[in-house]
Amino acid sequence: MPCFELDGTTIHYEDHGEGEPLVVLNGIFMSCASWQAFVPSFSARNRLLLLDLVDQGASGTVDHEYTQELQERVVLAFLDHLGLADAHLCGVSYGGEVALRVATRHPDRVRKLVLANTTAHTSPWLYDIGKSWERAMASHDGHVFFTTCIPVVYSPGFYEANHDWIAAREEFFVRVFTPEVYDAFARLTRSAETHDERARLAEVTAPTLVISSEHDHVTPLVNQTELVAGIPGAAHVMIQGAGHAAMYEKPTEFTALVLGFVNHQTTGIAIS
Amino acid sequence: MPCFELDGTTIHYEDHGEGEPLVVLNGIFMSCASWQAFVPSFSARNRLLLLDLVDQGASGTVDHEYTQELQERVVLAFLDHLGLADAHLCGVSYGGEVALRVATRHPDRVRKLVLANTTAHTSPWLYDIGKSWERAMASHDGHVFFTTCIPVVYSPGFYEANHDWIAAREEFFVRVFTPEVYDAFARLTRSAETHDERARLAEVTAPTLVISSEHDHVTPLVNQTELVAGIPGAAHVMIQGAGHAAMYEKPTEFTALVLGFVNHQTTGIAIS
Amino acid sequence: MPCFELDGTTIHYEDHGEGEPLVVLNGIFMSCASWQAFVPSFSARNRLLLLDLVDQGASGTVDHEYTQELQERVVLAFLDHLGLADAHLCGVSYGGEVALRVATRHPDRVRKLVLANTTAHTSPWLYDIGKSWERAMASHDGHVFFTTCIPVVYSPGFYEANHDWIAAREEFFVRVFTPEVYDAFARLTRSAETHDERARLAEVTAPTLVISSEHDHVTPLVNQTELVAGIPGAAHVMIQGAGHAAMYEKPTEFTALVLGFVNHQTTGIAIS
Amino acid sequence: MPCFELDGTTIHYEDHGEGEPLVVLNGIFMSCASWQAFVPSFSARNRLLLLDLVDQGASGTVDHEYTQELQERVVLAFLDHLGLADAHLCGVSYGGEVALRVATRHPDRVRKLVLANTTAHTSPWLYDIGKSWERAMASHDGHVFFTTCIPVVYSPGFYEANHDWIAAREEFFVRVFTPEVYDAFARLTRSAETHDERARLAEVTAPTLVISSEHDHVTPLVNQTELVAGIPGAAHVMIQGAGHAAMYEKPTEFTALVLGFVNHQTTGIAIS
């Protein structure tokens, strides 16, 4: 299991396949392990680089509160560790916020950028949603955590159609997640409270694809159109029928979009 | 403050103005007091009848768990108490579920029916949202209650534009709500868990208006179209820019719709 | 059949019922006769004033090209003729454009304003749609006119569900419309080409309701949100399942909205 | 310029690049030439096969009226001519209808299927839209043709933002299109009048992607969801901000979707 150190914290990652490097950044309750089913297709033509940010999966923590500026440094250190001048960056939700931060502040490190179910800033509304999550995490009770944090990230239709899987997931969370995991989730949540890249969107130079979901409650359409309006030339596609966790609900659409955008020439196709 | 008894429980109501009777049924965190600003317009041409259901506002509770069948009986007893053969019925969310129940099972008691931000059944997804609410209520902590239950009922735009009002509301809840209030909310939430009128929608005979909101996360569009498809001749209007609590976010649109539908001949206008 | 003269042109109108005056302005292919089925409900509590603008229905024409400035003068002359200082104004499509023009330039003459399926300006796209209409009208062939101008104003669902009515309407148009009628339609279409009230929207002082339709192709959502953003305090409601001709497709919803907004106190209902 | 014969009619095509074969079928006013700007990216990893159907581009015509059954035979003869047992099929609008027909009736000839801005049947509404097109084509007047047929296929926003391009296109049409071209367009339009594959959707065995556009007036959302509901396992993505001609308005999104879906493993990614 490959890793590297950043300021004394161990950062875990996975390295699959060969080709143009594609770094994937996780949402807040995810880790490298969340992408297991995607590895064959994502690594078929790319060097797929999965990364656990600080307080995610197998990576370590730090002994102080932090913001996403820390995660930005993790991504840069990761590229340096691999000796990569740049890479494609695909982020989901929290991971999209970190990817956006890298793309606005270090545009030379990003080839193409995919932002899935991402917002340019933590609104007062999202801040309070986060507060309810933090309180549920503080209970260290898996059932409280699950019912507070999970239904809102899925579309009602997916939730109902996959209720057995959802129930199994709740049992898995309850069985596996320790108090340390819940505390890590809470730190991650807090680290996003000050997220606001709105004033820097125009500094993104990478060709960018914004992936939205029809039923995304957590980062709704208004957040998506803000990204598209601000990032020069951003493309915008909506996955129909999905909630915030589009990659779980609609893996076919998600995969076609990410790999289609990253691996093909999609810009400069001028109407004439 | 007028009231009547049902099986030993005191049911509180308000009676304003004169004209065709219009009974308004509250959402789960509401009471007669929630309608104060609406009383002048709603009672200008109608006898406005506000009602606290069991476990709402000034009404009493019962010493056992219950379903919305109890609230259905409260509404019927209310009409009987007033000597009304029938009335217009307007319900919001939980109150809409009760109104729908009365309309499907006692169609002769309902003149016109308005269902705002209502669902025909509690889906597994909504059931789990309810569970997160119940757990927050069980904490008897106003801040936990507020951040878990309130942001999801407003649209992010309204929440941000009215953040001072939202903050004041949180302080008000914390100051005023007792453990008894939270326990009442939890009983109300549980009473809706088995709600399912889908098989009876065709039995509604009252002219019906379904009011939906563009950003309603709790009872989203799929729930609204289910109502419209099932209730014979149901009209359907969407309030743009509002969340689940449409009557708070968009009182102008809500008022025009309810009073316009109830007080005017809106059916039988045939194209020719 | 009441009428009055403006600069030598006869202007026809209808005057039904008593109460607060409500002036209704027609869309481009409509006339006073289009509202026949609405008269009972619209005149039950209001003095309903239907008006054929220049080149509409039974009103006359003028011997020169004109813009909607002429129709604005017709509305003002109408109010003067009736001795009304002001009235509620409800306009549909072309009639909404004229109503908007009156409301921006003569705010003291408008009590409440309802804009149904209206745009604040004729975009280059709508201009070219109008050109296709003008060419179809110039053919003086009822079938050419019908298939070019009518399908786009209805939603596909309504069109299919009411295909017999649609077919009868085509036969009616073919039988009744003379070359003079088609030429009048073409002049009306041309008179809207320069319509642009965008810079004046903030001058509307009347409480305003914007009625949009889910499937409105002619004045789509982007035109509706432009109106709502520009007119101070404008309310906004979407009629689900309807096309541009919302008043024909969804008379129940249309009637509830117009009469509910005009006849009830809908503003100043402050959240607290 | 490669070609082959079918029953005495010359069928023109283009053959670019190497890799898994991808056959692209044109919309009604398109030809192989419409794809010029897409050739580099579409042929980078695929054998891109552009095809002019009967009455399109450089292909010939037939001396009788026909239905899309003829175009289905053209596609099959094309595959036979190339010695291909099967190929990926991507169709746009009219071309999507033909692609769907091949996929339902000859599922063994289709590897993956992409249906962009396509409908499963010609509704009475679309039939009448087609009638207006036929009449405009019968005028043999390029300006009549343009204003009747072109604005409805673009979104108003694109039309306005690219008005110079639109105007140049009108001039190009007027200059280049002969009476024979307009007659060919009219025959194509008539050939789609009886299109109805609704009862056969379940027979599609190819992995299928349905690409819709937010502002598609010609084949609106209701047509798209019908396809998605009927075709087993169909994926569904919406291109934001585009009209019916999504490939012209949003080439980046269109390219990412088609090539991402065709060239990557997008199915069998199970949640776990």
XYZ file of all heavy atoms in Angstrom, chain C residues 101-180:
660
model
N -45.659 47.448 -20.882
C -45.347 48.779 -21.384
C -46.157 49.850 -20.641
O -45.624 50.912 -20.277
C -45.684 48.808 -22.875
C -44.985 49.878 -23.624
C -45.252 49.782 -25.120
N -44.946 51.070 -25.658
C -43.831 51.361 -26.340
N -42.988 50.408 -26.657
N -43.584 52.590 -26.727
N -47.417 49.578 -20.423
C -48.256 50.520 -19.665
C -47.748 50.631 -18.225
O -47.646 51.732 -17.674
C -49.733 50.075 -19.691
C -50.587 50.973 -18.792
C -50.273 50.089 -21.135
N -47.381 49.495 -17.646
C -46.967 49.490 -16.237
C -45.631 50.178 -16.018
O -45.389 50.754 -14.949
C -46.908 48.051 -15.718
N -44.734 50.114 -17.000
C -43.435 50.774 -16.836
C -43.524 52.271 -17.098
O -42.825 53.062 -16.481
C -42.371 50.186 -17.801
O -42.859 50.275 -19.141
C -42.046 48.751 -17.455
N -44.405 52.668 -18.034
C -44.446 54.055 -18.476
C -45.554 54.872 -17.830
O -45.507 56.096 -17.802
C -44.591 54.083 -20.009
C -43.319 53.567 -20.696
C -43.608 53.065 -22.111
N -42.510 52.277 -22.629
C -41.555 52.754 -23.436
N -41.580 53.999 -23.807
N -40.574 51.978 -23.854
N -46.556 54.169 -17.291
C -47.681 54.854 -16.635
C -48.051 54.097 -15.365
O -49.167 53.599 -15.233
C -48.881 54.930 -17.594
C -48.515 55.422 -18.951
N -48.410 56.768 -19.251
C -48.179 54.749 -20.080
C -48.041 56.900 -20.521
N -47.902 55.696 -21.046
N -47.114 53.996 -14.443
C -47.344 53.142 -13.269
C -48.581 53.537 -12.466
O -49.168 52.680 -11.799
C -46.056 53.300 -12.450
C -45.335 54.468 -13.027
C -45.767 54.601 -14.447
N -48.985 54.800 -12.538
C -50.151 55.237 -11.764
C -51.464 54.700 -12.330
O -52.486 54.771 -11.663
C -50.204 56.770 -11.733
C -50.171 57.353 -13.139
O -49.280 56.950 -13.923
O -51.031 58.182 -13.472
N -51.452 54.146 -13.523
C -52.679 53.621 -14.115
C -52.897 52.136 -13.820
O -53.904 51.572 -14.230
C -52.686 53.828 -15.649
C -52.390 55.229 -16.147
C -53.370 56.271 -15.629
N -54.741 56.104 -16.043
C -55.305 56.699 -17.108
N -54.580 57.479 -17.886
N -56.583 56.531 -17.383
N -51.936 51.495 -13.154
C -51.997 50.040 -12.956
C -52.057 49.695 -11.472
O -51.158 50.069 -10.723
C -50.769 49.341 -13.597
C -50.902 47.828 -13.504
C -50.602 49.783 -15.053
N -53.130 49.026 -11.059
C -53.217 48.606 -9.653
C -52.363 47.372 -9.406
O -51.380 47.398 -8.685
C -54.682 48.294 -9.298
C -55.551 49.514 -9.240
C -56.882 49.191 -8.597
N -57.868 50.194 -8.976
C -59.134 50.166 -8.659
N -59.613 49.158 -7.932
N -59.959 51.114 -9.037
N -52.758 46.269 -10.004
C -51.941 45.053 -9.945
C -51.714 44.602 -11.371
O -52.537 44.845 -12.256
C -52.627 43.952 -9.134
C -52.664 44.227 -7.623
C -53.162 43.015 -6.856
C -53.178 43.287 -5.340
N -53.664 42.101 -4.586
N -50.605 43.921 -11.579
C -50.191 43.532 -12.917
C -49.973 42.020 -12.961
O -49.267 41.469 -12.125
C -48.879 44.251 -13.260
C -48.205 43.920 -14.587
C -49.044 44.403 -15.772
C -46.805 44.555 -14.639
N -50.594 41.365 -13.934
C -50.357 39.939 -14.150
C -49.807 39.750 -15.561
O -50.445 40.148 -16.532
C -51.640 39.103 -13.983
C -51.339 37.623 -14.227
C -52.243 39.301 -12.598
N -48.619 39.164 -15.639
C -47.958 38.919 -16.929
C -47.882 37.415 -17.156
O -47.120 36.716 -16.486
C -46.548 39.516 -16.921
C -46.454 41.027 -16.661
C -44.991 41.458 -16.530
C -47.153 41.817 -17.763
N -48.702 36.927 -18.084
C -48.719 35.489 -18.362
C -47.977 35.201 -19.656
O -48.270 35.814 -20.687
C -50.159 34.990 -18.444
N -46.994 34.306 -19.603
C -46.270 33.874 -20.807
C -45.791 35.078 -21.616
O -46.016 35.179 -22.820
C -47.169 32.959 -21.645
C -47.690 31.773 -20.833
O -48.815 31.802 -20.336
N -46.862 30.770 -20.653
N -45.104 35.951 -20.902
C -44.682 37.236 -21.454
C -43.155 37.335 -21.434
O -42.505 36.702 -20.612
C -45.301 38.365 -20.588
O -46.725 38.290 -20.707
C -44.813 39.742 -21.020
N -42.607 38.134 -22.339
C -41.170 38.405 -22.311
C -40.936 39.910 -22.226
O -41.760 40.697 -22.703
C -40.449 37.846 -23.553
O -39.056 38.190 -23.490
C -41.027 38.417 -24.849
N -39.806 40.293 -21.631
C -39.476 41.720 -21.512
C -38.907 42.293 -22.797
O -38.824 43.504 -22.954
C -38.474 41.929 -20.371
N -38.501 41.395 -23.727
C -37.967 41.900 -24.996
C -38.076 40.824 -26.069
O -38.116 39.630 -25.779
C -36.516 42.355 -24.846
C -35.525 41.232 -24.849
N -35.479 40.248 -23.887
C -34.534 40.916 -25.723
C -34.504 39.408 -24.133
N -33.922 39.779 -25.247
N -38.112 41.275 -27.316
C -38.114 40.353 -28.446
C -36.668 40.018 -28.783
O -35.944 40.844 -29.336
C -38.813 40.997 -29.662
O -40.164 41.299 -29.292
C -38.818 40.057 -30.859
N -36.240 38.835 -28.427
C -34.856 38.415 -28.695
C -34.679 38.154 -30.187
O -35.658 37.985 -30.919
C -34.555 37.137 -27.911
O -35.261 36.048 -28.491
N -33.429 38.110 -30.656
C -33.189 37.774 -32.071
C -33.845 36.442 -32.454
O -34.316 36.277 -33.570
C -31.660 37.680 -32.146
C -31.172 38.546 -31.031
C -32.191 38.413 -29.937
N -33.866 35.524 -31.525
C -34.485 34.219 -31.775
C -35.991 34.377 -31.965
O -36.571 33.879 -32.935
C -34.170 33.301 -30.588
C -34.792 31.956 -30.641
C -34.300 30.848 -31.275
C -36.021 31.559 -30.028
N -35.154 29.796 -31.107
C -36.212 30.191 -30.342
C -36.975 32.212 -29.254
C -37.331 29.481 -29.901
C -38.079 31.506 -28.821
C -38.254 30.157 -29.139
N -36.645 35.117 -31.053
C -38.092 35.310 -31.158
C -38.437 36.143 -32.395
O -39.474 35.932 -33.037
C -38.610 35.985 -29.881
C -40.122 36.116 -29.735
C -40.824 34.763 -29.873
C -40.481 36.748 -28.392
N -37.549 37.072 -32.728
C -37.726 37.876 -33.939
C -37.827 36.956 -35.160
O -38.709 37.122 -36.007
C -36.531 38.822 -34.070
C -36.547 39.719 -35.283
C -37.046 41.019 -35.218
C -36.027 39.276 -36.493
C -37.040 41.852 -36.337
C -36.021 40.094 -37.619
C -36.530 41.379 -37.533
O -36.530 42.187 -38.626
N -36.946 35.948 -35.221
C -36.950 35.055 -36.379
C -38.137 34.087 -36.346
O -38.667 33.726 -37.398
C -35.623 34.290 -36.474
C -34.539 35.149 -37.136
O -34.801 36.341 -37.395
O -33.439 34.627 -37.397
N -38.542 33.679 -35.152
C -39.794 32.908 -35.047
C -40.926 33.755 -35.641
O -41.744 33.275 -36.442
C -40.108 32.559 -33.566
C -39.032 31.642 -32.970
C -41.517 31.960 -33.442
C -39.165 30.178 -33.317
N -40.952 35.025 -35.281
C -41.976 35.933 -35.818
C -41.906 36.034 -37.334
O -42.938 36.093 -38.008
N -40.684 36.032 -37.856
C -40.538 36.099 -39.320
C -41.181 34.881 -39.991
O -41.790 34.997 -41.064
C -39.053 36.176 -39.708
C -38.446 37.550 -39.514
C -39.088 38.581 -40.456
C -38.780 40.002 -40.045
N -39.811 40.956 -40.445
N -41.020 33.708 -39.366
C -41.636 32.510 -39.966
C -43.162 32.627 -39.908
O -43.863 32.185 -40.820
C -41.161 31.233 -39.266
O -41.798 31.074 -38.007
N -43.646 33.250 -38.847
C -45.087 33.459 -38.746
C -45.562 34.422 -39.827
O -46.576 34.186 -40.481
C -45.451 34.004 -37.360
C -45.248 33.005 -36.256
C -44.675 31.767 -36.342
C -45.629 33.173 -34.893
N -44.673 31.165 -35.120
C -45.248 31.999 -34.212
C -46.234 34.208 -34.166
C -45.475 31.819 -32.845
C -46.458 34.033 -32.793
C -46.084 32.855 -32.144
N -44.832 35.521 -39.986
C -45.230 36.510 -40.998
C -45.304 35.880 -42.381
O -46.212 36.164 -43.161
C -44.206 37.649 -41.038
C -44.408 38.700 -39.975
C -43.417 39.835 -40.205
O -43.564 40.551 -41.218
O -42.494 39.982 -39.382
N -44.314 35.032 -42.689
C -44.309 34.414 -44.018
C -45.489 33.463 -44.186
O -46.089 33.389 -45.263
C -42.985 33.693 -44.242
C -41.915 34.685 -44.641
C -40.517 34.169 -44.490
N -39.578 35.213 -44.880
C -38.348 35.342 -44.383
N -37.912 34.490 -43.488
N -37.580 36.318 -44.786
N -45.811 32.734 -43.129
C -46.968 31.844 -43.214
C -48.250 32.656 -43.380
O -49.148 32.280 -44.141
C -47.037 30.978 -41.959
N -48.333 33.777 -42.682
C -49.513 34.635 -42.808
C -49.615 35.209 -44.232
O -50.699 35.327 -44.784
C -49.429 35.774 -41.789
C -49.544 35.295 -40.337
S -48.754 36.466 -39.183
C -48.952 35.602 -37.623
N -48.459 35.554 -44.788
C -48.456 36.148 -46.120
C -48.963 35.184 -47.182
O -49.376 35.602 -48.275
C -47.039 36.617 -46.471
N -48.948 33.884 -46.862
C -49.456 32.909 -47.833
C -50.982 32.968 -47.930
O -51.558 32.459 -48.884
C -49.032 31.496 -47.418
O -49.823 31.048 -46.317
N -51.623 33.567 -46.912
C -53.101 33.616 -46.854
C -53.720 32.220 -46.921
O -54.889 32.077 -47.272
C -53.667 34.503 -47.983
C -53.350 35.952 -47.829
N -53.799 36.910 -48.700
C -52.641 36.622 -46.897
C -53.367 38.111 -48.326
N -52.660 37.950 -47.229
N -52.903 31.241 -46.570
C -53.373 29.843 -46.610
C -53.521 29.370 -45.167
O -52.545 29.289 -44.417
C -52.331 28.998 -47.371
C -52.691 27.514 -47.425
O -53.275 26.985 -46.447
O -52.373 26.876 -48.442
N -54.753 29.039 -44.772
C -55.048 28.689 -43.389
C -54.264 27.499 -42.886
O -53.861 27.451 -41.721
N -54.030 26.515 -43.753
C -53.289 25.340 -43.309
C -51.810 25.676 -43.094
O -51.198 25.216 -42.133
C -53.442 24.208 -44.332
C -54.852 23.711 -44.436
N -55.512 23.099 -43.403
C -55.747 23.783 -45.467
C -56.739 22.776 -43.777
N -56.922 23.191 -45.024
N -51.254 26.463 -43.995
C -49.865 26.899 -43.811
C -49.747 27.702 -42.512
O -48.850 27.485 -41.692
C -49.392 27.744 -45.010
C -48.037 28.408 -44.709
C -49.311 26.884 -46.259
N -50.685 28.636 -42.333
C -50.697 29.424 -41.102
C -50.770 28.516 -39.882
O -49.992 28.652 -38.939
C -51.891 30.383 -41.111
C -52.163 30.998 -39.764
C -51.330 31.983 -39.263
C -53.220 30.556 -38.980
C -51.560 32.534 -38.003
C -53.454 31.100 -37.729
C -52.623 32.089 -37.244
N -51.691 27.576 -39.907
C -51.929 26.758 -38.727
C -50.700 25.931 -38.339
O -50.239 25.981 -37.195
C -53.133 25.836 -38.946
C -53.665 25.280 -37.661
C -54.638 25.961 -36.941
C -53.188 24.091 -37.144
C -55.125 25.457 -35.738
C -53.652 23.584 -35.942
C -54.633 24.267 -35.247
N -50.167 25.182 -39.292
C -49.052 24.294 -38.927
C -47.784 25.076 -38.575
O -46.940 24.589 -37.832
C -48.730 23.266 -40.043
O -48.598 23.948 -41.278
C -49.823 22.228 -40.139
N -47.660 26.294 -39.090
C -46.462 27.078 -38.768
C -46.564 27.754 -37.402
O -45.590 27.823 -36.654
C -46.208 28.148 -39.853
O -46.131 27.502 -41.117
C -44.921 28.915 -39.585
N -47.759 28.248 -37.094
C -47.890 29.105 -35.906
C -48.491 28.408 -34.687
O -48.298 28.882 -33.565
C -48.766 30.328 -36.247
S -48.154 31.267 -37.648
N -49.225 27.342 -34.867
C -50.000 26.810 -33.745
C -49.291 25.713 -32.949
O -49.285 25.779 -31.711
C -51.401 26.367 -34.235
C -52.132 27.563 -34.878
C -52.220 25.780 -33.100
C -52.234 28.804 -33.997
N -48.705 24.689 -33.576
C -48.080 23.653 -32.742
C -47.074 24.214 -31.733
O -47.028 23.742 -30.588
C -47.397 22.729 -33.762
C -48.223 22.885 -35.008
C -48.658 24.338 -35.016
N -46.298 25.221 -32.114
C -45.288 25.730 -31.176
C -45.878 26.420 -29.951
O -45.179 26.610 -28.954
C -44.282 26.707 -31.851
C -43.440 25.972 -32.876
C -44.976 27.890 -32.464
N -47.150 26.822 -30.014
C -47.703 27.506 -28.838
C -48.361 26.547 -27.844
O -48.744 26.960 -26.751
C -48.693 28.643 -29.218
C -48.022 29.626 -30.184
C -49.984 28.126 -29.780
N -48.504 25.277 -28.213
C -49.063 24.300 -27.274
C -47.985 23.326 -26.819
O -46.997 23.098 -27.511
C -50.205 23.518 -27.938
C -51.437 24.364 -28.169
C -51.757 24.826 -29.432
C -52.267 24.713 -27.113
C -52.875 25.616 -29.647
C -53.389 25.498 -27.321
C -53.684 25.957 -28.586
O -54.782 26.736 -28.785
N -48.206 22.709 -25.676
C -47.323 21.633 -25.243
C -47.675 20.384 -26.056
O -48.844 20.162 -26.386
C -47.508 21.364 -23.758
O -48.764 20.789 -23.508
N -46.670 19.557 -26.386
C -46.958 18.326 -27.128
C -48.026 17.467 -26.445
O -48.874 16.879 -27.113
C -45.597 17.619 -27.162
C -44.603 18.740 -27.131
C -45.229 19.765 -26.214
N -48.003 17.396 -25.129
C -48.977 16.563 -24.416
C -50.400 17.051 -24.594
O -51.318 16.266 -24.839
N -50.613 18.355 -24.478
C -51.959 18.910 -24.681
C -52.393 18.710 -26.127
O -53.536 18.344 -26.395
C -51.948 20.408 -24.345
C -53.263 21.089 -24.591
C -54.258 21.084 -23.624
C -53.520 21.741 -25.789
C -55.472 21.717 -23.851
C -54.724 22.368 -26.032
C -55.709 22.361 -25.058
N -51.475 18.959 -27.038
C -51.762 18.849 -28.468
C -52.245 17.441 -28.803
O -53.213 17.268 -29.544
C -50.489 19.168 -29.239
C -50.670 19.568 -30.674
C -50.914 20.896 -31.015
C -50.580 18.633 -31.697
C -51.049 21.289 -32.343
C -50.713 19.010 -33.020
C -50.950 20.342 -33.344
O -51.087 20.716 -34.655
N -51.581 16.458 -28.227
C -51.948 15.072 -28.516
C -53.263 14.704 -27.820
O -54.133 14.077 -28.428
C -50.807 14.143 -28.051
C -51.054 12.699 -28.417
C -49.764 11.905 -28.529
O -48.665 12.498 -28.383
O -49.839 10.687 -28.772
N -53.415 15.115 -26.573
C -54.620 14.745 -25.817
C -55.869 15.432 -26.366
O -56.987 14.956 -26.158
C -54.420 15.080 -24.333
N -55.684 16.563 -27.051
C -56.834 17.318 -27.559
C -56.779 17.444 -29.079
O -57.115 18.484 -29.637
C -56.848 18.714 -26.924
C -57.020 18.660 -25.417
O -58.131 18.544 -24.925
N -55.910 18.700 -24.693
N -56.371 16.362 -29.712
C -56.105 16.455 -31.142
C -57.361 16.758 -31.949
O -57.309 17.474 -32.965
C -55.404 15.199 -31.658
C -54.585 15.473 -32.872
N -54.775 14.856 -34.091
C -53.584 16.358 -33.074
C -53.927 15.325 -34.978
N -53.177 16.223 -34.399
N -58.506 16.263 -31.503
C -59.756 16.560 -32.215
C -60.078 18.053 -32.129
O -60.472 18.679 -33.110
C -60.922 15.747 -31.629
C -60.802 14.277 -31.981
O -59.968 13.936 -32.856
O -61.512 13.469 -31.367
N -59.882 18.609 -30.950
C -60.133 20.035 -30.769
C -59.180 20.855 -31.636
O -59.575 21.827 -32.282
C -59.975 20.408 -29.288
C -60.144 21.865 -28.997
C -61.325 22.564 -28.929
C -59.100 22.824 -28.731
N -61.080 23.881 -28.640
C -59.728 24.076 -28.517
C -57.713 22.746 -28.658
C -59.005 25.238 -28.219
C -56.997 23.891 -28.365
C -57.641 25.119 -28.153
N -57.914 20.420 -31.638
C -56.905 21.107 -32.452
C -57.310 21.052 -33.931
O -57.253 22.068 -34.647
C -55.524 20.445 -32.244
C -55.014 20.694 -30.812
C -54.519 20.910 -33.296
C -54.403 22.048 -30.565
N -57.738 19.875 -34.390
C -58.111 19.722 -35.796
C -59.335 20.595 -36.116
O -59.392 21.239 -37.179
C -58.413 18.251 -36.095
N -60.272 20.638 -35.184
C -61.462 21.475 -35.411
C -61.067 22.945 -35.474
O -61.634 23.732 -36.253
C -62.475 21.243 -34.280
N -60.101 23.305 -34.673
C -59.636 24.686 -34.658
C -58.979 25.039 -35.988
O -59.171 26.141 -36.502
C -58.630 24.850 -33.515
C -58.767 26.154 -32.793
C -58.082 26.103 -31.450
N -57.642 27.438 -31.095
C -58.454 28.409 -30.702
N -59.744 28.188 -30.600
N -57.979 29.597 -30.405
N -58.235 24.108 -36.528
C -57.613 24.349 -37.830
C -58.700 24.591 -38.886
O -58.614 25.550 -39.667
C -56.731 23.163 -38.233
C -56.064 23.374 -39.598
C -54.943 22.370 -39.874
O -54.636 21.550 -38.989
O -54.373 22.433 -40.980
N -59.727 23.737 -38.872
C -60.807 23.904 -39.849
C -61.515 25.245 -39.655
O -61.863 25.932 -40.607
C -61.810 22.742 -39.730
C -61.250 21.413 -40.209
C -60.476 21.555 -41.516
O -61.030 22.096 -42.492
O -59.281 21.150 -41.544
N -61.693 25.609 -38.376
C -62.332 26.897 -38.067
C -61.504 28.057 -38.618
O -62.024 28.967 -39.262
C -62.513 27.014 -36.550
C -62.997 28.362 -36.095
C -64.342 28.699 -36.181
C -62.103 29.299 -35.579
C -64.788 29.954 -35.760
C -62.538 30.553 -35.161
C -63.884 30.876 -35.246
N -60.193 28.010 -38.378
C -59.308 29.074 -38.876
C -59.412 29.167 -40.397
O -59.542 30.252 -40.970
C -57.851 28.786 -38.493
C -57.510 29.122 -37.064
C -58.503 29.352 -36.110
C -56.178 29.199 -36.646
C -58.171 29.655 -34.785
C -55.851 29.510 -35.340
C -56.843 29.730 -34.415
N -59.325 28.013 -41.053
C -59.342 27.986 -42.513
C -60.647 28.582 -43.041
O -60.661 29.325 -44.030
C -59.146 26.539 -43.019
C -59.449 26.431 -44.518
C -57.727 26.068 -42.712
N -61.730 28.278 -42.358
C -63.045 28.706 -42.833
C -63.272 30.195 -42.581
O -63.838 30.905 -43.413
C -64.132 27.884 -42.101
C -65.495 27.925 -42.760
C -66.455 26.961 -42.088
N -66.695 27.290 -40.689
C -66.326 26.565 -39.651
N -65.679 25.422 -39.810
N -66.591 26.960 -38.417
N -62.814 30.670 -41.431
C -63.211 32.000 -40.967
C -62.199 33.103 -41.312
O -62.568 34.230 -41.596
C -63.464 31.963 -39.449
C -63.557 33.354 -38.865
C -64.720 31.157 -39.162
N -60.921 32.752 -41.269
C -59.912 33.809 -41.432
C -59.809 34.229 -42.894
O -59.572 33.408 -43.779
C -58.552 33.341 -40.917
C -58.475 33.259 -39.416
C -57.329 32.782 -38.796
C -59.538 33.666 -38.605
C -57.241 32.700 -37.411
C -59.448 33.585 -37.212
C -58.304 33.095 -36.619
N -59.929 35.526 -43.101
C -59.806 36.094 -44.443
C -58.377 36.579 -44.661
O -57.584 36.665 -43.707
C -60.752 37.305 -44.562
O -60.360 38.261 -43.569
C -62.201 36.889 -44.338
N -58.034 36.910 -45.889
C -56.717 37.523 -46.116
C -56.501 38.733 -45.213
O -55.380 38.964 -44.742
C -56.778 37.924 -47.590
C -57.696 36.919 -48.209
C -58.737 36.626 -47.155
N -57.563 39.483 -44.944
C -57.424 40.664 -44.082
C -56.996 40.255 -42.671
O -56.218 40.958 -42.015
C -58.753 41.438 -44.021
C -59.100 42.179 -45.295
C -59.473 41.244 -46.454
O -60.060 40.168 -46.183
O -59.144 41.576 -47.615
